[in-house]
Amino acid sequence: MEAPSTALLTDQYELTMLRAALADGTAHRRAVFEVFARRLPNGRRYGVVAGTGRLLEAIQRFRFDAETLSFLREKKIVDDTTADWLASYRFRGNIWGYAEGDCYFPGSPILVVEGTFAEAVLLETLSLSILNHDSAIASAASRMTAAAGRRPIVEMGSRRTHEEAAVAAARAAYIAGFATTSNLAAGRRYGLPTGGTSAHAFTLLFDSEKEAFIAQVGALGRSTTLLVDTFDVREAVRTAVDIAGLELGSVRIDSGDLAVLAHDVRAELDALGATETRILVSGDLDEYAIASLTAAPVDVYGVGTALVTGSGFPTAELVYKLVARSTGTQPDAPLVGVAKRSTGKPTHKGRKWARRQLEDGVAVTEVVSTQPECDLDGRQLLVPLVRAGEVVGQEPLLAARERHERSRAELPRTALQLSRGEPVIPTMYGAVEGVAGHGG
Amino acid sequence: MEAPSTALLTDQYELTMLRAALADGTAHRRAVFEVFARRLPNGRRYGVVAGTGRLLEAIQRFRFDAETLSFLREKKIVDDTTADWLASYRFRGNIWGYAEGDCYFPGSPILVVEGTFAEAVLLETLSLSILNHDSAIASAASRMTAAAGRRPIVEMGSRRTHEEAAVAAARAAYIAGFATTSNLAAGRRYGLPTGGTSAHAFTLLFDSEKEAFIAQVGALGRSTTLLVDTFDVREAVRTAVDIAGLELGSVRIDSGDLAVLAHDVRAELDALGATETRILVSGDLDEYAIASLTAAPVDVYGVGTALVTGSGFPTAELVYKLVARSTGTQPDAPLVGVAKRSTGKPTHKGRKWARRQLEDGVAVTEVVSTQPECDLDGRQLLVPLVRAGEVVGQEPLLAARERHERSRAELPRTALQLSRGEPVIPTMYGAVEGVAGHGG
């Protein structure tokens, strides 16, 4: 089955702006759009880029087929000229971006789209939808995995978000270090490791908790996770060990005072000799609740709602802004920087490059400059994603996951504080000379 | 193109519970699951059911094809018996629900799924994903349209949420009274009216604002909406009227102090004679900002982020709970009510019916009872959606939109207060006799 077109996952104005700019030829001016965040969500120390891989895939499917064009024509959204232009549309420009999984800060140009205005403006809505959602989830997820330390987190939030957003959320969580997801579509589509426990409904289906546990262990083996909080937790733990023996994989506690119950359950398991049986806790956990359970004998965290809703910030609020365009349509017309006049919402003109300055391996400044070259130490942050219309930046998801771990480890340790604060490194703008002087 | 299967938009545990329950036959017990909210988001007065139409469509696509089954088998999520059972799976039970667009309250059984445990448990994740997302959006949207009064609201939030969630959000907003959406896929898929303005990038593409306006008016006509806050708002308004004349459709203000600017722009437009030109304001509007603009000369509101993120509550936090099941697998085995033992999270046992009791046409009580019959006045709230596996509850989207308007109008007027409060009518549980006595 051919993958469906993504072309209508778009705001109408992209097409009417295109139509107006095509009519007078201005549409063919070269343009540079940048995706960036004006600020991080209130008090967050860093953001995490996610969605890049999904975006590259979606851009390849951004085509206008005959049915789509007749819909647009019938609704009088486009005229014949625009429809003809769209019929042969594919993005033929260049895209650079922060590599997926890397951290970002206010002003970081996490995506740079260069092409004609016509071809680049069309990608605004789709780019923002994907990056805003996935980066919001990954940014929240990263705080959770930081709070959990070495304890794994399993993702189980599908039911609390749109059914397709759930698949993307599982992917973003994996980039930020989650161990597994409950979402089967994410397992299939992205090769994520999947996992699951069982629900209270399962226990309630049987005439007793014991019969439910016997059925589950019989079918799924002793390494399964038994849910122990349907009736009496301590009694359930005894029943569980009675049935599964000391090889019982895990027990799950999904309600109540999780810290107290985890201690009780650990004591009960240990008293029964089930010292290897792990304790999974779940139930409205977020990064703060995870941190508060540090001293409790918890082996695995299950996180749902807080993950898929970005723990209070369901969108990264990234914007897609025209920062430069040529003064004419000839290929050699010079680029000029442009920006809306604004107080309080600074948009820096001009196409930018970015570098994370490091001192002794620790990030100190996000340098965003209109000059590509720079003699500062540090990592070049923009990588080529699309070159003359060809996707060159697709990579295995594991690369993004490993990159995130490295990128986060490179931040000052205060990045991992959960309390509100400023971005953990400052963003400095300018041409390289000025920046070098300031950074020295 | 055949619509893709929805079967893997599912938590893994639904399938492993199925496997364990199939192995010992308990899976064939009859079961009743209910979807309900334990509470409304903090301070909200009512919720709005949305997503029903999408869910009915998705249930029809909930099938396990050969490739899906080999994925599940390969990953050892299902065994051969379960895979064979899934191969012929389609839901053959019954579903009732609150009609789409109706209001709901804590405990309202907004979906009742009746079938064997096996067939009904599989629909948990998908049902919750769709209803949680769409109801969260519609519930926020309804507060916004209530705050806007007769002024239309245009939906423009696609870029701030997952690309497919955006389409569903546009649909949910329309049910709750939004006028149009910017999302073209929503226009095509659901027949929603679409609209659009233009972006700052469009103005910045040209050598001057004037040239941008000339191009836009030339291509899109005088009834277009010109964006006037790229440089100087008052100057832009003069340029706009100069170019489009007194027939200029609308101007849009997307930043700054919207109340002040709306007054300035109205004065300027009126002074120029453009008394019919409308003012559209946008820029991080939510229901509170809309209400605060009541006295400003605003004609249309544009709402984005706050809509697609549920204005602080991106999920309705609905749950899908087993409330009754039969004591055996014979067709005549009696149903018994079941519930998890719980303090503070009450789950009322037993299959329920619901009725909204009215006095003089105003809702006074949500009556949720284990008895289907009732001699109280009021509306029966559950309508048949699926009968023996056949969808019977699909309806045009306009029906849901009109129903929402009627349902909201039926609530006590305090429902429309934006300030925090209790649900505007109480939910009363019980068998009819007790409730009738209490209600009399």
Side-chain angles (χ1 to χ4, degrees):
Chain A
M1 194 175 64
E2 205 183 322
S5 167
T6 56
L8 290 191
L9 298 169
T10 296
D11 288 320
Q12 177 166 313
Y13 81 174
E14 318 290 5
L15 294 183
T16 52
M17 289 192 288
L18 170 67
R19 176 177 167 181
L22 278 177
D24 89 338
T26 321
H28 306 297
R29 289 185 170 191
R30 273 189 304 142
V32 181
F33 287 89
E34 282 178 7
V35 172
F36 60 93
R38 298 190 195 282
R39 66 195 80 81
L40 299 179
N42 194 3
R44 292 274 181 90
R45 303 302 182 90
Y46 62 96
V48 180
V49 175
T52 318
R54 291 212 306 122
L55 176 60
L56 293 176
E57 193 271 327
I59 287 174
Q60 292 170 289
R61 292 190 283 121
F62 199 95
R63 304 291 174 84
F64 293 82
D65 57 29
E67 280 174 63
T68 303
L69 291 171
S70 45
F71 164 76
L72 294 171
R73 237 192 279 237
E74 198 179 289
K75 295 291 178 187
K76 301 195 190 309
I77 294 164
V78 301
D79 58 7
D80 291 350
T81 309
T82 310
D84 289 349
W85 189 89
L86 290 173
S88 62
Y89 176 77
R90 51 183 284 264
F91 181 74
R92 292 184 174 84
N94 303 309
I95 303 180
W96 295 263
Y98 277 37
E100 192 163 16
D102 211 340
C103 296
Y104 73 87
F105 300 93
S108 299
I110 71 172
L111 200 75
V112 179
V113 180
E114 182 194 78
T116 64
F117 176 82
E119 64 184 350
V121 76
L122 289 185
L123 300 182
E124 177 178 27
T125 311
L126 184 66
S127 301
L128 288 178
S129 290
I130 292 176
L131 296 176
N132 266 324
H133 175 267
D134 292 15
S135 299
I137 305 301
S139 298
S142 177
R143 286 161 59 85
M144 295 171 187
T145 54
R150 290 162 188 243
R151 294 176 178 173
I153 311 184
V154 301
E155 191 279 310
M156 49 210 300
S158 296
R159 63 190 55 199
R160 293 294 173 87
T161 188
H162 181 279
E163 68 276 18
E164 279 294 333
V167 186
R171 181 184 179 280
Y174 186 71
I175 290 172
F178 272 50
T180 63
T181 177
S182 64
N183 190 288
L184 291 170
R188 185 180 183 185
R189 205 177 294 171
Y190 301 118
L192 302 188
T194 61
T197 62
S198 71
H200 298 113
F202 182 79
T203 299
L204 295 170
L205 171 66
F206 290 79
D207 294 329
S208 71
E209 190 171 55
K210 184 175 177 180
E211 286 170 73
F213 287 0
I214 289 171
Q216 184 174 334
V217 171
L220 306 178
R222 294 170 193 278
S223 65
T224 194
T225 301
L226 293 172
L227 179 63
V228 293
D229 69 337
T230 305
F231 303 113
D232 179 89
V233 173
R234 296 183 63 158
E235 197 179 311
V237 169
R238 287 191 291 268
T239 307
V241 175
D242 192 38
I243 290 160
L246 304 184
E247 294 152 71
L248 174 61
S250 311
V251 295
R252 174 181 170 211
I253 314 166
D254 187 47
S255 58
D257 184 321
L258 296 176
V260 169
L261 288 174
H263 280 289
D264 287 356
V265 167
R266 184 75 269 158
E268 191 72 37
L269 286 170
D270 289 350
L272 295 165
T275 53
E276 299 298 310
T277 299
R278 303 192 307 164
I279 298 176
L280 186 158
V281 299
S282 59
D284 286 332
L285 294 184
D286 60 11
E287 62 267 46
Y288 303 100
I290 289 170
S292 78
L293 288 165
T294 301
V298 167
D299 299 287
V300 183
Y301 298 102
V303 176
T305 307
L307 184 272
V308 298
T309 59
S311 199
F313 302 100
T315 176
E317 300 205 50
L318 301 166
V319 296
Y320 186 99
K321 294 292 171 189
L322 182 69
V323 294
R325 49 99 180 149
S326 62
T327 54
T329 55
Q330 333 73 286
D332 60 346
L335 278 180
V336 294
V338 295
K340 173 183 183 304
R341 185 158 84 184
S342 186
T343 53
K345 287 206 289 188
T347 297
H348 295 268
K349 293 181 185 185
R351 190 263 153 98
K352 294 171 211 75
W353 285 261
R355 176 176 285 268
R356 191 156 300 150
Q357 196 188 349
L358 304 171
E359 279 176 14
D360 300 327
V362 177
V364 289
T365 316
E366 188 84 340
V367 181
V368 177
S369 166
T370 52
Q371 297 293 328
E373 295 305 324
C374 168
D375 56 5
L376 294 175
D377 280 347
R379 288 197 294 121
Q380 194 72 46
L381 296 167
L382 287 169
V383 301
L385 298 174
V386 176
R387 220 178 251 141
E390 294 307 314
V391 170
V392 297
Q394 200 56 276
E395 60 178 8
L397 198 57
L398 200 57
R401 179 179 166 94
E402 290 170 355
R403 179 179 300 111
H404 177 62
E405 196 177 352
R406 286 195 307 275
S407 176
R408 188 175 68 185
E410 187 184 82
L411 300 180
R413 285 168 65 181
T414 49
L416 304 188
Q417 286 182 356
L418 294 180
S419 54
R420 285 184 180 187
E422 295 301 309
V424 73
I425 60 172
T427 302
M428 290 175 45
Y429 293 92
V432 175
E433 295 79 6
V435 171
H438 190 108
Chain B
M1 196 174 69
E2 204 184 323
S5 166
T6 55
L8 290 192
L9 298 169
T10 297
D11 288 320
Q12 176 166 315
Y13 81 175
E14 319 290 6
L15 295 183
T16 51
M17 287 191 287
L18 170 68
R19 175 177 168 182
L22 277 177
D24 87 339
T26 322
H28 306 298
R29 289 185 170 189
R30 273 189 304 141
V32 181
F33 286 89
E34 280 179 7
V35 172
F36 61 92
R38 296 189 195 282
R39 67 195 80 83
L40 299 179
N42 197 2
R44 292 275 182 87
R45 304 302 182 91
Y46 62 97
V48 180
V49 175
T52 318
R54 293 211 306 119
L55 176 59
L56 293 177
E57 194 270 327
I59 287 174
Q60 292 171 288
R61 294 191 281 119
F62 199 96
R63 305 290 174 87
F64 293 82
D65 56 28
E67 281 174 62
T68 303
L69 291 172
S70 45
F71 164 76
L72 293 172
R73 236 190 282 235
E74 200 178 286
K75 295 291 178 187
K76 303 195 190 312
I77 294 165
V78 302
D79 57 7
D80 291 350
T81 309
T82 310
D84 288 349
W85 190 89
L86 290 173
S88 62
Y89 176 77
R90 53 181 284 266
F91 181 75
R92 292 184 173 85
N94 303 307
I95 302 180
W96 297 261
Y98 277 36
E100 192 162 17
D102 211 340
C103 296
Y104 72 87
F105 299 93
S108 299
I110 72 172
L111 200 75
V112 178
V113 179
E114 181 194 80
T116 63
F117 176 82
E119 65 184 349
V121 75
L122 289 185
L123 300 182
E124 177 178 27
T125 310
L126 183 67
S127 300
L128 287 177
S129 289
I130 293 177
L131 295 175
N132 266 324
H133 175 268
D134 292 15
S135 299
I137 304 301
S139 298
S142 176
R143 286 162 58 87
M144 296 172 185
T145 55
R150 286 159 191 247
R151 295 175 178 173
I153 311 183
V154 300
E155 190 280 310
M156 48 208 300
S158 297
R159 62 191 54 201
R160 293 293 173 90
T161 188
H162 181 280
E163 68 276 18
E164 279 293 332
V167 186
R171 181 183 179 280
Y174 186 72
I175 289 172
F178 273 48
T180 63
T181 177
S182 63
N183 189 289
L184 291 171
R188 184 178 185 188
R189 205 178 294 172
Y190 301 118
L192 303 188
T194 62
T197 62
S198 71
H200 298 113
F202 182 78
T203 299
L204 295 170
L205 171 66
F206 291 80
D207 295 329
S208 71
E209 190 170 56
K210 185 175 177 178
E211 287 169 75
F213 287 0
I214 289 171
Q216 185 174 334
V217 172
L220 308 179
R222 294 170 193 277
S223 65
T224 194
T225 301
L226 293 172
L227 180 63
V228 293
D229 69 337
T230 306
F231 304 113
D232 179 274
V233 173
R234 297 182 64 156
E235 198 179 309
V237 169
R238 288 191 291 270
T239 307
V241 174
D242 192 39
I243 289 159
L246 303 184
E247 296 153 70
L248 174 59
S250 311
V251 295
R252 173 181 170 210
I253 314 166
D254 185 47
S255 57
D257 184 322
L258 297 175
V260 169
L261 288 174
H263 280 289
D264 287 356
V265 167
R266 184 74 269 159
E268 193 71 38
L269 285 169
D270 289 350
L272 295 165
T275 53
E276 300 297 310
T277 300
R278 302 192 305 164
I279 299 176
L280 185 159
V281 299
S282 57
D284 285 332
L285 295 183
D286 61 11
E287 63 267 45
Y288 303 100
I290 289 170
S292 78
L293 289 164
T294 301
V298 167
D299 299 288
V300 183
Y301 298 102
V303 177
T305 308
L307 184 271
V308 298
T309 58
S311 200
F313 301 99
T315 177
E317 301 206 50
L318 301 166
V319 296
Y320 186 99
K321 292 293 171 189
L322 182 69
V323 294
R325 48 97 182 153
S326 62
T327 53
T329 55
Q330 342 55 299
D332 60 345
L335 278 180
V336 293
V338 294
K340 173 182 183 305
R341 186 157 87 183
S342 186
T343 52
K345 286 208 287 190
T347 297
H348 294 267
K349 293 181 184 183
R351 192 263 153 96
K352 294 171 211 74
W353 285 262
R355 174 176 288 266
R356 190 157 300 152
Q357 196 188 351
L358 304 171
E359 278 176 13
D360 301 327
V362 177
V364 289
T365 315
E366 188 85 341
V367 181
V368 177
S369 166
T370 52
Q371 296 292 327
E373 296 306 324
C374 167
D375 56 6
L376 294 175
D377 280 348
R379 289 198 294 120
Q380 193 73 44
L381 296 167
L382 288 169
V383 301
L385 298 175
V386 176
R387 219 178 253 141
E390 293 308 313
V391 169
V392 296
Q394 200 57 276
E395 61 178 8
L397 199 56
L398 201 58
R401 180 179 165 94
E402 290 171 354
R403 179 179 301 111
H404 177 62
E405 197 177 350
R406 286 196 307 276
S407 176
R408 188 174 66 185
E410 188 184 80
L411 300 180
R413 286 167 64 181
T414 49
L416 305 187
Q417 288 182 356
L418 294 180
S419 54
R420 284 184 181 187
E422 296 301 309
V424 74
I425 60 172
T427 302
M428 289 174 45
Y429 293 93
V432 175
E433 293 78 6
V435 171
H438 191 111

